[in-house]
Amino acid sequence: MTLSTGLQNYLDDLALTHESELSLDFVSALQNKHIAKYSFNSLAVVLGEDLPLDTENLSHKIVSQGLGGYCFEHNKLTYELLSSLGYDVQLKLARVLYNQEKKAPRTHRVSLVKLKGETYLVDTGFGAYGPSLPLSLELDKEQSIGGETYRIISLSEQKQLDTLEYDVQIFKGGEFFTLYRFDLADYSDADCQLSHFFSHKYPEAGFVNNLVVSLKNDEVIIALKNHELLTRFTDETGQRTELTEQVNSADALHNILTESFGLALDQVITTHLFERFLVPKLGH
C-alpha cells in the first residue's frame, strides 16, 4: 500500500510501521505518540494565518514544521492515515461542553474506528484533557488512560449504541466532568469546513480570542491558556496533582512556547502574543 508523501512523513516521524493486519495496537500507538509529540494550539488562528485542511499542508505544518494545530487539523491527519491504511474509520462532529448544558455548536472533530467487531473513539486533537489512547465505545465503562479515568455515557435511557448522543467524560475534581458530546450522524469534510471556518474566523469563537497551547504524555500535561500555565502530573502517592502559575513577562512566554512546547517562534511574535492575550488578563 502506497501512502502519499505527507502521510508517509507522518508515519515515519512517529517511528511507526504498519503491518498488513489491522490492529488496535497500531491505532493506540498512533494516538499516543501523536498527542505526545504534536502540540494542540491556537497559534495559527490568533496570528490570522491560513489554515488549509488538505493532507499535504497539514503534514507540512504539524509534522515537518512542528507547529501543531487544533482538532480539525490533528484529527483530519489521523483520519486520513487510518483510512489510507485500510481501517474502517468514520468522521464525527461533537459539541464541546466543559460540563455545561448549553447549545454549543459542533466545533470538535473526532473519529470512530471499527475493528474486529468493536468500536473505538480516536481523538488526537482535544488538548490537555483528551484521552491519549482510544476509548472503547462501551457505555458507562470506566477506562483508565495515562493516569486519568474516562467514560462514555448515553443521554438515552435505552442504553444502546444507536441512540442519539453520547458524552465523553473525565473524572476530575471528585466527579465525572463532561468534555464533549457527539452523535452517530453521517458527517463529511464539507461539514468540517463550516465548523472549521467558525472556529478560526468567527469573532467570538474561543480560539480566536484565546492563546491556547497544550502538550501531554502519560506522565505529565502542560497547558497554557493566556496568562495561566497548568502542569498536571501523578505524584509519588499516585494522586493527580495540578500546579498553576502565572506567566508575567514576554520573555517567560517565549521560553515556555519555545522550550516547553518546542515551537519555533521569533521573540517579536511572542511579544505580540503577550501584549495581546496576557497583558489584559494580568492587568498590566
Side-chain angles (χ1 to χ4, degrees):
M1 181 179 299
T2 302
L3 296 175
S4 70
T5 300
L7 292 178
Q8 188 63 56
N9 288 344
Y10 176 33
L11 195 65
D12 292 344
D13 194 52
L14 295 179
L16 289 171
T17 55
H18 188 264
E19 306 298 332
S20 57
E21 182 179 354
L22 306 182
S23 74
L24 180 60
D25 286 345
F26 174 83
V27 178
S28 298
L30 172 63
Q31 181 170 344
N32 193 258
K33 289 190 171 189
H34 180 118
I35 290 172
K37 185 160 190 175
Y38 307 130
S39 69
F40 176 89
N41 69 69
S42 63
L43 281 171
V45 176
V46 299
L47 293 173
E49 297 177 355
D50 291 334
L51 295 178
L53 294 181
D54 63 283
T55 303
E56 297 308 301
N57 273 301
L58 290 177
S59 179
H60 179 68
K61 177 176 182 275
I62 295 172
V63 178
S64 301
Q65 293 184 302
L67 293 176
Y70 73 159
C71 70
F72 291 106
E73 299 171 289
H74 286 294
N75 278 316
K76 169 67 182 279
L77 189 61
T78 301
Y79 173 96
E80 292 297 342
L81 177 61
L82 290 173
S83 179
S84 294
L85 291 173
Y87 286 85
D88 181 354
V89 56
Q90 299 175 1
L91 158 65
K92 302 300 175 188
L93 291 178
R95 307 178 190 274
V96 178
L97 297 179
Y98 280 122
N99 224 34
Q100 302 176 60
E101 279 299 327
K102 57 183 180 179
K103 294 297 184 180
R106 292 185 176 92
T107 57
H108 183 53
R109 171 181 179 146
V110 299
S111 299
L112 291 183
V113 175
K114 293 186 177 181
L115 188 63
K116 298 180 179 179
E118 302 292 334
T119 302
Y120 302 90
L121 176 75
V122 176
D123 188 351
T124 55
F126 192 72
Y129 289 109
S132 56
L133 290 172
L135 286 176
S136 174
L137 191 56
E138 295 183 56
L139 300 181
D140 304 319
K141 178 183 179 182
E142 295 186 10
Q143 304 178 55
S144 297
I145 298 174
E148 310 284 6
T149 299
Y150 296 89
R151 72 178 183 183
I152 297 175
I153 65 169
S154 171
L155 300 188
S156 167
E157 295 180 358
Q158 298 292 324
K159 300 291 185 183
Q160 298 189 12
L161 293 181
D162 60 353
T163 52
L164 293 179
E165 294 183 305
Y166 310 90
D167 283 357
V168 176
Q169 300 182 322
I170 185 173
F171 194 76
K172 181 177 179 289
E175 61 183 5
F176 276 100
F177 179 100
T178 299
L179 298 174
Y180 56 83
R181 180 171 296 162
F182 72 97
D183 58 54
L184 301 184
D186 183 28
Y187 295 103
S188 68
D189 279 340
D191 297 301
C192 288
Q193 286 289 355
L194 287 173
S195 298
H196 172 54
F197 184 84
F198 172 92
S199 296
H200 80 289
K201 290 296 186 182
Y202 182 58
E204 297 180 18
F207 289 121
V208 174
N209 293 286
N210 293 281
L211 175 61
V212 177
V213 191
S214 67
L215 196 60
K216 67 180 295 182
N217 57 39
D218 291 337
E219 287 74 43
V220 64
I221 299 166
I222 51 174
L224 176 75
K225 184 174 181 181
N226 300 319
H227 66 306
E228 291 187 342
L229 180 67
L230 168 74
T231 305
R232 183 170 167 87
F233 59 94
T234 303
D235 63 23
E236 295 178 354
T237 68
Q239 298 297 312
R240 294 299 275 177
T241 298
E242 286 190 358
L243 300 176
T244 303
E245 59 184 292
Q246 285 194 348
V247 182
N248 293 308
S249 70
D251 286 342
L253 178 63
H254 183 74
N255 289 338
I256 290 167
L257 292 177
T258 57
E259 296 178 14
S260 298
F261 293 109
L263 298 166
L265 296 173
D266 292 336
Q267 180 75 52
V268 66
I269 293 177
T270 54
T271 298
H272 163 74
L273 293 172
F274 178 78
E275 292 174 350
R276 181 178 170 190
F277 294 102
L278 280 69
V279 168
K281 302 290 185 182
L282 293 167
H284 288 187

